[in-house]
Amino acid sequence: MEQLVKLLPGVYLDPAGVNVVRVAGENVFVGLDGGEHFLCLASVAGSVDTVAETLVSRINAVLAERHHGV
Protein backbone atom coordinates (compact mmCIF):
# COMPACT_ATOMS: atom_id res chain seq x y z
CA MET A 1 0.00 0.00 0.00
CA GLU A 2 1.36 3.40 -0.92
CA GLN A 3 1.74 6.01 1.78
CA LEU A 4 -0.23 9.22 1.31
CA VAL A 5 0.66 12.68 2.58
CA LYS A 6 -1.87 14.51 4.73
CA LEU A 7 -2.59 18.03 3.46
CA LEU A 8 -5.49 18.94 5.70
CA PRO A 9 -7.82 17.03 7.99
CA GLY A 10 -9.42 14.46 5.70
CA VAL A 11 -7.36 15.46 2.63
CA TYR A 12 -4.51 13.21 1.49
CA LEU A 13 -2.52 12.87 -1.74
CA ASP A 14 -0.04 10.55 -3.36
CA PRO A 15 3.30 12.41 -3.30
CA ALA A 16 4.39 10.80 -6.58
CA GLY A 17 1.73 12.89 -8.34
CA VAL A 18 3.07 16.21 -7.03
CA ASN A 19 5.44 18.12 -9.29
CA VAL A 20 5.46 21.58 -7.69
CA VAL A 21 4.57 23.34 -4.45
CA ARG A 22 4.33 27.10 -4.86
CA VAL A 23 3.51 30.03 -2.57
CA ALA A 24 1.58 32.95 -4.09
CA GLY A 25 0.39 35.60 -1.69
CA GLU A 26 -1.53 33.91 1.12
CA ASN A 27 -2.09 30.69 -0.85
CA VAL A 28 -0.11 27.49 -1.34
CA PHE A 29 -0.55 25.79 -4.71
CA VAL A 30 0.20 22.10 -5.23
CA GLY A 31 0.80 21.14 -8.87
CA LEU A 32 -0.46 17.71 -9.86
CA ASP A 33 -0.34 15.55 -12.99
CA GLY A 34 2.59 17.29 -14.65
CA GLY A 35 1.27 20.73 -13.79
CA GLU A 36 -2.04 20.25 -15.59
CA HIS A 37 -3.99 20.55 -12.33
CA PHE A 38 -3.42 22.64 -9.21
CA LEU A 39 -4.80 22.26 -5.75
CA CYS A 40 -5.04 25.61 -3.96
CA LEU A 41 -4.75 25.73 -0.19
CA ALA A 42 -6.30 29.19 0.27
CA SER A 43 -5.77 31.39 3.29
CA VAL A 44 -3.77 28.78 5.17
CA ALA A 45 -3.34 29.12 8.92
CA GLY A 46 0.10 30.34 9.90
CA SER A 47 2.95 31.20 7.60
CA VAL A 48 2.39 30.07 4.01
CA ASP A 49 6.13 29.50 3.67
CA THR A 50 6.08 27.19 6.68
CA VAL A 51 3.07 25.30 5.32
CA ALA A 52 4.78 24.86 1.94
CA GLU A 53 8.06 23.74 3.54
CA THR A 54 6.26 21.24 5.78
CA LEU A 55 4.36 19.82 2.83
CA VAL A 56 7.51 19.47 0.73
CA SER A 57 9.29 17.82 3.65
CA ARG A 58 6.49 15.26 4.05
CA ILE A 59 6.45 14.53 0.33
CA ASN A 60 10.23 14.08 0.19
CA ALA A 61 10.21 11.78 3.22
CA VAL A 62 7.56 9.49 1.71
CA LEU A 63 9.31 9.41 -1.67
CA ALA A 64 12.64 8.59 0.03
CA GLU A 65 11.00 5.74 1.96
CA ARG A 66 9.56 4.36 -1.28
CA HIS A 67 12.92 4.63 -3.01
CA HIS A 68 14.71 2.81 -0.20
CA GLY A 69 11.98 0.21 0.16
CA VAL A 70 11.01 1.13 3.72
Side-chain angles (χ1 to χ4, degrees):
M1 182 174 148
E2 293 187 5
Q3 185 177 2
L4 301 177
V5 173
K6 182 177 182 178
L7 286 179
L8 301 167
V11 180
Y12 301 84
L13 62 82
D14 179 354
V18 175
N19 64 324
V20 65
V21 176
R22 185 177 138 224
V23 174
E26 294 300 314
N27 302 316
V28 176
F29 292 90
V30 180
L32 305 168
D33 300 326
E36 293 182 23
H37 299 92
F38 280 88
L39 174 64
C40 178
L41 306 177
S43 302
V44 297
S47 165
V48 290
D49 291 325
T50 300
V51 170
E53 288 172 12
T54 300
L55 179 56
V56 169
S57 176
R58 289 180 188 169
I59 289 169
N60 287 339
V62 170
L63 292 176
E65 288 177 5
R66 287 183 187 175
H67 179 73
H68 296 294
V70 176

